[in-house]
Amino acid sequence: LETATELDTIAAISTPPGEGGISIVRISGNEALDVASRIFKGKDLHKVKSHTINYGHIVDPKTGSTVDEVMVSVMLAPKTYTCEDVVEINCHGGIVPTNDILQLLLSHGARMAKPGEFTERAFLNGRVDLSQAEAVMDLIRAKTDRSMKVALNQLDGDLSHLIKRLRQDILDVLAQVEVNIDYPEYDDVETMTSKLLREKAIELKAQIKQLLLTAQEGKILRDGLATAIVGHPNVGKSSLLNRMLHEDKAIVTDVAGTTRDVLEEYVNVRGVPLKLVDTAGIRETNDKVEKIGVERSRKALQTADLVLLVLDSSQPLSDEDQQLIQATDEAKRIIILNKTDLPMALDTDELFNSVSEDEVIRTSATKGAGLDDLKEKIAKLFFGGIESSQNNVIVTNARHIGLLNQAQGALDAVLQGLDDGMPVDLVQIDMTRCWEFLGEITGDSYQDELLDQLFSQFCLGK
Ligand code: GDP
Ligand code: ZN
């Protein structure tokens, strides 16, 4: 049973801060109707039907003065976002009336909700599991249609169902093992039971591995494909970045090295968010700094999923270019010959000595030429496989990935134990650990700190 404090009535502004057409103040809890009624003049909210919207005024009971003209939605438990009684006050979108209404609610029995607390209640009241609650946040932060679809599937419970099925399988086999131990009707119980555990462990490992295989693309869909743009000053990195963003977000200038801050922007390449990092500060005025430049590019490369190396085709290939070509050799990269609108001065034969021809794409950032080719190439290089697994369960969340890895580790321990001839009841312990790790994904087992940490990342009022 919940304690009293967990069941108190909470309130928060659920629309983004600032002015707008309307704002919504949300109240949830056993006393949601009582609290709202104390400051609402209109129909008796206790008597209206559930899931109706009701016209009236918010009036300060102390002064009797009208605060705002409002529409109040009444949604009775359990078919609500939180599974509790929920009242939503739709008011005029100003900052002052919205805050005034919230303050009135807080002084008439509601407590200020913590970030994500409405969603946390949906979890605590059993309406969604943990992975579904996490999907709510991913949905809010989704950067493209496709990332949104993956989050929606997770919210629908696709991942939860799969995990629950795996856990049930484990329970079944553990039960079977118990039976074998308790009723040793056969001479070779130990052998039979070991065989059962081994088969199951192998099968589960394969399924978890399959899930983990989706994690790379899942991470890309959720967080974006980290893309580093490297190249020495004035080759056109910022211009290219701006072209891709279709707007002037990075500072473009004729002076070498004026792009100072590392900028991060997202570009939508066929539904996949490309997180572009303009590696500003790769500035080379002398040899020493040049080394730092290459050094920095190396750093960027370590964290990048994709490298776009930009060369100025109107200039001969420089030593700096060669160094960057070497430095990016190991990375997944595309080499961009920019400024193709100018007379060609770069010796392509020389270039193709060190790079493969199909790594290269020709663009003119100022004329906007070659950008489609670039996107096409990125899509081919990276997301060939994503289209195919679009409808499957995709793991996107670092917490889930960590737990799946731990579950896999527990299964390895099961297999190792069997190989070493460990007694079955000891092997069972590792199988149970696997079951527990999977349970943490859906929140079937969790710790309070985890909840605090997860839900505090939510926005206020969600
Ligand atoms: P960055 O230092 O690599 O970021 O280079 P910028 O994007 O700041 O560009 C340096 C200069 O080259 C600017 O004057 C741009 O207008 C110019 N530039 C960039 N791309 C092209 C291009 O494709 N063609 C021509 N002609 N000029 C370009
Ligand atoms: Zn720049």
Side-chain angles (χ1 to χ4, degrees):
L1 268 179
E2 317 275 22
T3 65
T5 49
E6 276 172 330
L7 279 174
D8 59 359
T9 295
I10 53 174
I13 299 169
S14 284
T15 35
E19 284 176 35
I22 60 162
S23 293
I24 297 174
V25 185
R26 183 189 261 171
I27 316 157
S28 179
N30 285 345
E31 290 172 29
L33 279 177
D34 297 336
V35 174
S37 296
R38 285 172 199 142
I39 65 165
F40 178 73
K41 276 255 151 60
K43 278 188 199 155
D44 183 348
L45 295 179
H46 286 96
K47 289 184 179 148
V48 303
K49 275 195 184 149
S50 182
H51 294 78
T52 56
I53 187 154
N54 306 277
Y55 174 82
H57 292 86
I58 297 297
V59 175
D60 184 343
K62 251 192 205 141
T63 61
S65 65
T66 300
V67 178
D68 203 354
E69 185 187 30
V70 295
M71 300 287 284
V72 174
S73 308
V74 172
M75 291 159 281
L76 299 180
K79 285 192 174 171
T80 68
Y81 186 72
T82 55
C83 276
E84 303 171 336
D85 287 350
V86 171
V87 175
E88 287 179 359
I89 301 174
N90 295 245
C91 60
H92 290 122
I95 298 168
V96 176
T98 313
N99 268 324
D100 284 353
I101 293 171
L102 178 63
Q103 289 312 321
L104 278 177
L105 292 169
L106 297 182
S107 54
H108 287 86
R111 167 174 69 72
M112 181 73 193
K114 293 179 293 184
E117 196 170 3
F118 293 98
T119 310
E120 183 174 10
R121 291 215 169 169
F123 166 68
L124 290 172
N125 292 324
R127 194 176 75 77
V128 296
D129 72 22
L130 210 50
S131 75
Q132 288 173 302
E134 287 170 300
V136 172
M137 184 160 55
D138 287 350
L139 201 57
I140 295 169
R141 304 211 170 135
K143 294 167 190 78
T144 69
D145 289 355
R146 194 186 282 181
S147 351
M148 198 178 84
K149 188 161 180 291
V150 174
L152 261 178
N153 287 346
Q154 189 178 321
L155 181 58
D156 270 356
D158 285 7
L159 178 65
S160 315
H161 292 320
L162 184 58
I163 296 294
K164 288 205 162 97
R165 214 195 62 223
L166 295 180
R167 294 188 87 218
Q168 190 55 49
D169 283 358
I170 296 176
L171 278 191
D172 289 348
V173 78
L174 287 176
Q176 189 62 48
V177 168
E178 284 300 329
V179 170
N180 287 1
I181 291 174
D182 291 349
Y183 304 97
E185 291 160 18
Y186 314 99
D187 300 335
D188 54 350
V189 178
E190 190 77 9
T191 332
M192 259 195 51
T193 312
S194 301
K195 186 165 170 277
L196 193 66
L197 277 169
R198 183 187 302 276
E199 277 169 5
K200 201 70 213 175
I202 290 171
E203 187 192 316
L204 283 165
K205 247 191 94 173
Q207 300 204 44
I208 291 175
K209 189 174 162 207
Q210 204 58 40
L211 262 182
L212 281 168
L213 280 179
T214 69
Q216 198 215 346
E217 66 188 56
K219 183 184 170 292
I220 290 171
L221 283 174
R222 184 175 183 262
D223 301 332
L225 183 75
T227 305
I229 303 183
V230 299
H232 66 79
N234 274 321
V235 295
K237 297 183 294 297
S238 304
S239 311
L240 221 46
L241 176 68
N242 286 343
R243 270 286 170 182
M244 291 186 81
L245 290 166
H246 291 294
E247 50 187 308
D248 295 338
K249 278 195 179 156
I251 308 153
V252 186
T253 131
D254 287 331
V255 185
T258 38
T259 327
R260 290 231 169 67
D261 301 311
V262 174
L263 295 164
E264 261 182 22
E265 296 290 350
Y266 292 90
V267 174
N268 188 340
V269 178
R270 310 207 167 159
V272 178
L274 212 69
K275 186 167 83 182
L276 291 173
V277 183
D278 183 8
T279 52
I282 304 186
R283 181 183 178 184
E284 311 89 16
T285 46
N286 58 46
D287 285 346
K288 245 185 217 160
V289 186
E290 155 62 14
K291 284 211 181 66
I292 297 170
V294 174
E295 213 46 54
R296 279 200 193 166
S297 313
R298 283 220 176 86
K299 268 240 168 79
L301 299 183
Q302 278 164 12
T303 49
D305 302 311
L306 170 68
V307 176
L308 303 177
L309 170 56
V310 187
L311 303 173
D312 183 344
S313 67
S314 71
Q315 302 287 328
L317 211 57
S318 66
D319 288 346
E320 298 162 0
D321 290 331
Q322 289 288 11
Q323 276 178 292
L324 283 173
I325 288 171
Q326 297 301 323
T328 58
D329 203 40
E330 304 274 283
K332 267 206 175 174
R333 75 173 169 196
I334 294 172
I335 293 170
I336 299 172
L337 289 188
N338 191 37
K339 306 200 188 183
T340 50
D341 54 298
L342 298 177
M344 184 83 164
L346 185 143
D347 182 352
T348 44
D349 288 340
E350 188 192 352
L351 178 67
F352 294 146
N353 278 334
S354 35
V355 311
S356 135
E357 204 165 340
D358 54 47
E359 283 183 277
V360 176
I361 214 106
R362 290 171 171 76
T363 63
S364 165
T366 44
K367 297 266 188 300
L371 269 298
D372 282 342
D373 292 346
L374 178 59
K375 285 195 174 188
E376 175 78 26
K377 196 153 201 91
I378 294 169
K380 275 219 184 99
L381 190 64
F382 254 92
F383 314 125
I386 271 194
E387 216 101 37
S388 57
S389 57
Q390 206 172 181
N391 297 316
N392 297 342
V393 176
I394 295 181
V395 185
T396 61
N397 186 303
R399 193 181 72 83
H400 302 169
I401 294 166
L403 286 165
L404 286 170
N405 276 316
Q406 282 179 292
Q408 213 172 32
L411 292 171
D412 283 333
V414 168
L415 292 169
Q416 187 63 51
L418 292 170
D419 284 346
D420 294 349
M422 260 211 269
V424 165
D425 48 347
L426 285 183
V427 174
Q428 256 183 306
I429 294 176
D430 286 319
M431 200 53 135
T432 309
R433 274 177 54 229
C434 178
W435 179 78
E436 283 168 352
F437 286 134
L438 293 176
E440 281 182 50
I441 293 177
T442 48
D444 284 312
S445 55
Y446 65 89
Q447 259 142 34
D448 287 347
E449 302 89 74
L450 172 69
L451 287 196
D452 290 347
Q453 195 218 330
L454 276 184
F455 288 106
S456 64
Q457 298 171 41
F458 273 61
C459 20
L460 218 61
K462 189 72 202 177

